[in-house]
Amino acid sequence: MLRFLSHQKDKSRGPSRSSRPGPDPARTVPIYPDDEQVRGLCDLYSPEPTSCTHVRDLADVLLELGKITDEQYGRLRRESIGRPRVDPTAWLLKEGLVGANDILEAKAKVNGLEFRRLTPEQVDKQTFQKLEPDFIKRSNIVPVEVEGSTLLVATSEPTNLFALEDVKRQTGMEVRACVCPPEDIAAICATLHEEPAEVVLDDIISDMTEVEVVQDKEEVSDDLEKMAGQSPVIKFVNYLISNAVREGASDIHIEPREKHTKIRYRIDGVLFDTMQAPQKMHPAIVSRIKIMANLDISERRVPQDGKVSAIVGSRAIDLRISILPTNHGEKTVIRILDSKSITRGLEHVGMESDVCRVFKEQVALPHGILLVTGPTGSGKSTTLYSALSEMDGQRLNISTVEDPIEYELDTCNQVQVNEKTGLTFAAALRSLLRQDPDIIMVGEIRDNETARIAVQAALTGHLVLSTLHTNDAATSITRLVNIGIEPYLIAASLNAAAAQRLVRRICPKCKEPYKVSKDLRKYIERAGGKCSEIVHGAGCDACRGSGYIGRAGIFELLVIDDRFRDMIHTDTSVSNMRRAFRDSGRATLFDDGIKKVIQGVTTIEEVLRVTEIYGENEDEKAVENQN
């Protein structure tokens, strides 16, 4: 074929060069045209210069949002060259430089969508029912509310345009999308998919009053068991627990009074009165709870503790039962533990990105002690559990010693302290050191023996995580000295100490700007915020008039460097440690709280409430000294 084409080409050329007549000067066209002719051809056609038009992408948006530095931006660009199918942001997540929600927020902006955090209370229940539950779970799209003729939906996959078209087809409405984290969508589905049938509490209490009650003060256990097993009592206790979970309560307080039984829920750290029950039914209610926890219903003179595993809706929860005799009967407190709160990762406990990054670096160290400090109920255990849940349990031997075991982790070997049998923190920790551990979590360092074994474990190549009851991070060093640990051992073993508190979040439904008082303006202005942009919750039905829903953490992190190690050898007083911490330039609890105020997460009154032990006075003195 090639030969044939060549032959045809040769025939078309005519006679050979040697037999051709000479060129006609009048008709000759120059083989190489001059510059003027070239310019004339360029006017007719000129190819576009090859240029690489840059399209705004994730890296640009992350840089604009301040989530990454210029250096990290440059590396992202280098990672993406010649690798179009590889996500260059994966190493940012792996190194803990950004969180998953930071990436999702950037994706939202790239696609021109709004990024929002949502709670089940912000979703209209009737709108939620516009889509089938299976479709919602499969597509990760949640109907939020109707805006005129437009349906607002939240999605965790902003690039899934086919799913949005399906929503439009199923509902027959125009659709506007916003981007929401997948854990928020899961929480909404878990709450609204299992919406219980409406319960009329008055009817339950009315039925309870018809239950035959033994009037003798010394009721026998058989009568109490019979009462506790009757339907109205069971319904009432079930309602108490399911309603508490639905309301987001952490504790249920059942308190006997002279003429009635008072029931309160602790929500976001504050107790709220919820209902009252007939006083004569109090023994039956407590007996029902005892039966659930396998406690002795005939014993009412000594305290008892127990636990219950239950499923409320589709959520598996653990209940910790504490019963204490009082002058009017047995006071009962039910602690509600939800394992979902520890599976969200460190990015969701409230740490700022820089603090989270340094904290993850400390968790990744091969040996030493990492302490998390704060008062009871400040979220210390949740922070440690979140850190443990991110570790590689397949490669590492992770063991814990706890009292009690609050959450069960599949990747850990958890030991329950039992002082009655001699299994104390120190005894369990001593035994764990013979189990070839890599990481040990001690629920709390309470005494000299436990602290000393923890220090020795850290010095012999183990990473030890534990909690300590102190007001701030710097005070943890002084606390260890007071327990009886020599300063040179603390300097050699302690890697870092984090302190935390929980502040209530402003209710998003009643959030509004407000005028900050003159006494509090100085804190906002000192941190670089604008008082005109500060918000608070006015109070609504969704937040029970409090102006707050949910809680967020505020943190300070003390990293023990060479300077601190030298100071530990010389002076471990509280004042000296706090002064050195401020001089290090790291944010205190109070500073981190003010950041949350400027971001619109909480109020300055709430920050002062949880840091008033030392934050307000000490920070004020520090600023006055600097001035």
Side-chain angles (χ1 to χ4, degrees), residues 386-598:
S386 298
L388 291 176
S389 64
E390 295 190 355
M391 295 179 178
D392 186 359
Q394 301 297 325
R395 186 176 58 88
L396 300 172
N397 179 13
I398 306 172
S399 300
T400 72
V401 184
E402 306 170 64
D403 184 22
I405 296 175
E406 296 188 8
Y407 304 102
E408 293 188 3
L409 297 177
D410 294 336
T411 57
C412 299
N413 304 295
Q414 297 173 273
V415 178
Q416 167 75 54
V417 170
N418 188 348
E419 295 189 357
K420 293 181 179 179
T421 61
L423 186 60
T424 62
F425 273 108
L429 186 54
R430 194 180 296 110
S431 297
L432 277 183
L433 291 177
R434 295 190 288 269
Q435 293 280 318
D436 186 32
D438 296 299
I439 297 169
I440 300 173
M441 195 270 273
V442 184
E444 181 184 350
I445 293 180
R446 300 176 179 176
D447 51 41
N448 176 273
E449 187 178 8
T450 304
R452 191 168 295 279
I453 298 173
V455 168
Q456 293 299 327
L459 292 175
T460 54
H462 305 89
L463 180 64
V464 180
L465 310 180
S466 187
T467 67
L468 201 63
H469 286 288
T470 61
N471 293 333
D472 57 359
T475 312
S476 59
I477 298 173
T478 308
R479 172 66 174 158
L480 289 174
V481 173
N482 293 338
I483 288 177
I485 305 301
E486 291 80 358
Y488 75 91
L489 291 176
I490 299 173
S493 61
L494 186 61
N495 291 339
Q500 69 179 81
R501 299 288 192 280
L502 292 177
V503 294
R504 291 182 290 175
R505 290 180 179 270
I506 298 174
C507 175
K509 288 195 173 181
C510 59
K511 181 185 291 188
E512 64 178 17
Y514 81 114
K515 188 176 181 180
V516 182
S517 65
K518 293 182 180 180
D519 295 338
L520 302 181
R521 286 181 185 177
K522 55 186 177 182
Y523 300 116
I524 305 297
E525 294 170 351
R526 190 184 302 152
K530 296 180 180 179
C531 293
S532 59
E533 299 176 355
I534 303 304
V535 296
H536 77 154
C540 62
D541 293 338
C543 61
R544 306 165 199 83
S546 65
Y548 301 97
I549 285 183
R551 288 192 289 180
I554 58 175
F555 298 84
E556 67 179 24
L557 181 59
L558 166 63
V559 178
I560 307 298
D561 53 16
D562 292 339
R563 177 168 168 267
F564 269 99
R565 297 187 197 282
D566 293 338
M567 294 184 61
I568 292 173
H569 286 293
T570 57
D571 185 3
T572 58
S573 63
V574 173
S575 58
N576 188 42
M577 291 293 103
R578 285 179 176 171
R579 190 183 310 112
F581 179 73
R582 291 192 185 90
D583 293 342
S584 68
R586 293 192 177 274
T588 64
L589 282 169
F590 188 76
D591 296 333
D592 193 41
I594 296 300
K595 286 182 183 179
K596 298 293 193 299
V597 173
I598 296 174

